[in-house]
Amino acid sequence: MFDARIKLLAFVLICSTLIGLTRAQEFVANYDESKVPDYTLPPIIDSQDSGESFQTAWKLRRKELLDTFSQHMFGYQPKSSFQLKCEKLESGPSVGGKALRQQYRVSLGTDAGSQVIHLLVFTPANSSGPVPCFLGLNFRGNHTVAADPEIVVTQSWSPNDAKVGATNNTASEAGRGAASSRWPVEMLVDAGCGVATAYCGDIDPDFHDGFNNGVHALFPDNQPSEAHPDRWGTISAWAWGLSRLLDCIQTNVPEVDGHRVAVVGHSRLGKTSLWAGATDERFAAVISNDSGCGGAAISRRAFGETVGRINTSFPHWFCPNFKQYNLNEQSLPIDQHQLVALAAPRPVYVASASEDQWADPRGEFLSAKLAGQLYQRLGLPPLAMNEFPAHANTGVVGTVSYHLRDGKHDINAYDWTQYIKFISQLK
Ligand code: GCU
C-alpha cells in the first residue's frame, strides 16, 4: 500500500516536472543571435519565369499562400453574407481648426446578430480634394487617440488599465488623449494626410472567450472549434473589421481618397495590418510597426517571442491549427517573409525599434529584405538596404521600406515621419 503511494507520488512528480520543463522551454526567450537555430525558409515563389508569365505565376502563388496562411495561422474569414450600414454621427473642426473630425457608426448584421464599430476620421480642414489616408486600429478606444471632447468614449469591453482610466472593463473620460503620442493627428493633417481609426475591441474584444463575442458571434458557422481548427482567430477578425471600415470610407467619406488608404498598425495591430493588407488588395499600401512574432518577424528564428509563447499568452489571436507549431516552428508550412510579400506589388513598410528585442528587429528586417527580392522579380525596386542597420534611426523609404528606430516598443513621431514620406508615393 505504502509502496504504491510512493510510486504514485513519484509518477506525479515526474509528470509535473516534465510539464514544467516543457513550459519553461516555451517561456525562456532567446536573445542570443548565436543560439538562433539553423533553418530553411519556405520560398516565396518557386517559378523561374520572368516578365508577364512571372506576374501570372505570382497571382497564382499569392492565392496559394493566402490559403496556407488562413488554414494554418490566422484562420479563414467568413464567406457568408452580412449587411453593413455606415452612418455619420457627427462632424466638426478639431486640432485648433486644422482638421475636420468625423465620426461614423458602422453597423454590421447577420441573422445571428449585430455589432457596431465606431470609426473616427481626421482630414486636413483646408484640403482641395480627397487626401491619402492612414487607417489603423487603436488599443484602448477612439477617445484615447486625441483629447478632443467630442470623440465618443467607447462603450465596448475594455481591458482594465489605470493609464487610460479603464476600470471594471469600462473605458472612461480619464482616457481622453492618453494615446495621442501614438496618433500625431496635427502632424498628419499638416502633411496633407488623413487618419482614420477604430477601437479593436469594437470588432472583437481582446480576451479569450472561446470565440463567442465580437464579430465572431455574427458568423456561428465560421467559429473556430475542434471540428474547424482553421477558422478566424481574433487577429483575422480585426483584419476583417479593417476591411469593413474601408467599405465605409470608400462609400461615405469623400474627403478621403479611397484608393490611397494605407493600412497601418502597431504590435498586435501591426500583425493585423499585415494580414488585412494580404486579404484585401484594396489597401493601397501596408505598414507594420514593431509587429514581431506573428507579424513581420521570421518565426523560425525563435528569437524573443516564439510561436509557443504567443499561442500560450494569447490563445485567441490565431486559429487553433497554429498551436501545432508551438516549439515546432521548423514544421510551419509558411513563414513571415511570405506574409510581407503578400502586399506585393503594393508598397510595404516594416518598422522595428532598437530596444524591442521581444519583437526580433533583425527577423523583421529579414522579412522585408526577402520580400524585396520578390518585388524585384516583379520589376519593382527591392529593399534598398542589404544588411541589418548597425545604428538605430536608419532606414529606407521606397516601394519596400524598413527602419530601425531608436528606443522602445512603441509608435511615435519618428515612425510617422517616415510613414508620411511612404504614403506620399501613392498616386
Ligand atoms: C505582447 C505580445 C506581442 C504583441 C504586444 C502588443 O508583448 O507578446 O506579440 O505584439 O503584446 O501588442 O503590444
Side-chain angles (χ1 to χ4, degrees):
M1 175 65 186
F2 182 69
D3 208 32
R5 266 203 226 152
I6 297 233
K7 274 189 191 149
L8 182 66
L9 190 65
F11 178 71
V12 169
L13 273 177
I14 289 169
C15 287
S16 50
T17 312
L18 282 177
I19 291 169
L21 278 178
T22 315
R23 281 267 151 79
Q25 239 184 313
E26 251 172 44
F27 282 82
V28 174
N30 173 44
Y31 292 113
D32 180 348
E33 201 53 43
S34 71
K35 296 202 175 112
V36 168
D38 289 336
Y39 60 86
T40 308
L41 288 175
I44 293 176
I45 186 164
D46 272 330
S47 162
Q48 299 304 311
D49 295 349
S50 57
E52 291 248 325
S53 46
F54 186 75
Q55 313 273 342
T56 313
W58 170 240
K59 278 197 188 126
L60 288 174
R61 173 65 172 153
R62 200 180 174 281
K63 286 213 177 87
E64 191 177 80
L65 280 174
L66 262 182
D67 196 61
T68 316
F69 271 103
S70 299
Q71 196 185 338
H72 292 270
M73 186 171 184
F74 294 104
Y76 287 100
Q77 295 176 344
K79 295 188 178 72
S80 53
S81 64
F82 59 90
Q83 295 93 44
L84 181 142
K85 201 159 79 187
C86 175
E87 298 159 275
K88 196 194 277 195
L89 282 181
E90 69 89 42
S91 68
S94 191
V95 195
K98 286 185 170 185
L100 168 69
R101 176 200 63 250
Q102 303 185 60
Q103 296 184 78
Y104 291 83
R105 195 183 141 89
V106 184
S107 313
L108 299 163
T110 65
D111 291 346
S114 62
Q115 179 85 7
V116 169
I117 311 172
H118 282 90
L119 171 67
L120 169 66
V121 187
F122 292 103
T123 46
N126 58 3
S127 68
S128 53
V131 294
C133 187
F134 297 99
L135 170 63
L137 300 177
N138 62 71
F139 281 75
R140 293 290 185 264
N142 292 350
H143 65 293
T144 65
V145 165
D148 184 334
E150 297 301 323
I151 301 175
V152 174
V153 175
T154 184
Q155 306 276 303
S156 300
W157 179 93
S158 295
N160 292 331
D161 181 351
K163 289 196 289 300
V164 296
T167 46
N168 299 322
N169 298 123
T170 310
S172 77
E173 283 288 335
R176 237 175 239 295
S180 56
S181 66
R182 290 186 165 183
W183 298 93
V185 179
E186 184 168 1
M187 179 172 123
L188 296 172
V189 295
D190 278 349
C193 300
V195 55
T197 185
Y199 171 43
C200 64
D202 273 7
I203 303 169
D204 195 29
D206 193 3
F207 69 94
H208 193 31
D209 78 323
F211 308 105
N212 289 306
N213 60 14
V215 293
H216 280 107
L218 307 188
F219 301 96
D221 292 351
N222 199 53
Q223 204 177 18
S225 63
E226 247 174 66
H228 300 295
D230 58 358
R231 303 304 161 89
W232 59 346
T234 291
I235 289 180
S236 209
W238 288 336
W240 182 87
L242 279 164
S243 289
R244 304 298 64 85
L245 297 172
L246 184 58
D247 294 342
C248 176
I249 290 172
Q250 287 193 333
T251 52
N252 289 58
V253 189
E255 292 78 8
V256 168
D257 178 350
H259 301 289
R260 282 188 293 161
V261 175
V263 64
V264 59
H266 167 62
S267 207
R268 68 197 67 183
L269 302 175
K271 312 180 204 302
T272 306
S273 60
L274 285 170
W275 186 232
T279 50
D280 190 339
E281 292 180 270
R282 294 175 305 162
F283 288 113
V286 183
I287 304 169
S288 79
N289 190 88
D290 304 0
S291 59
C293 179
I298 298 284
S299 300
R300 280 171 173 75
R301 282 173 46 80
F303 188 101
E305 187 172 30
T306 57
V307 170
R309 172 69 194 249
I310 205 167
N311 277 330
T312 309
S313 313
F314 306 99
H316 57 297
W317 281 1
F318 301 96
C319 73
N321 270 346
F322 195 45
K323 300 195 171 64
Q324 294 170 52
Y325 305 103
N326 290 358
L327 293 171
N328 185 24
E329 286 88 355
Q330 311 306 328
S331 309
L332 276 163
I334 34 94
D335 214 316
Q336 303 308 103
H337 59 310
Q338 297 170 318
L339 179 63
V340 176
L342 280 170
R346 297 159 295 162
V348 66
Y349 205 127
V350 174
S352 312
S354 59
E355 290 170 33
D356 188 16
Q357 294 300 304
W358 181 241
D360 186 15
R362 189 182 287 270
E364 294 175 327
F365 165 80
L366 267 176
S367 279
K369 182 177 156 172
L370 293 169
Q373 295 171 357
L374 171 82
Y375 279 74
Q376 191 165 29
R377 292 190 65 196
L378 289 167
L380 295 161
L383 180 71
M385 188 186 245
N386 274 328
E387 301 298 332
F388 181 63
H391 304 285
N393 291 350
T394 310
V396 283
V397 177
T399 310
V400 184
S401 307
Y402 177 80
H403 73 242
L404 176 69
R405 172 180 49 74
D406 189 27
K408 294 199 180 0
H409 183 70
D410 198 2
I411 179 166
N412 66 17
Y414 177 94
D415 301 305
W416 284 105
T417 305
Q418 320 313 317
Y419 302 153
I420 289 171
K421 291 183 212 152
F422 176 71
I423 205 172
S424 69
Q425 68 186 293
L426 297 180
K427 299 288 175 233

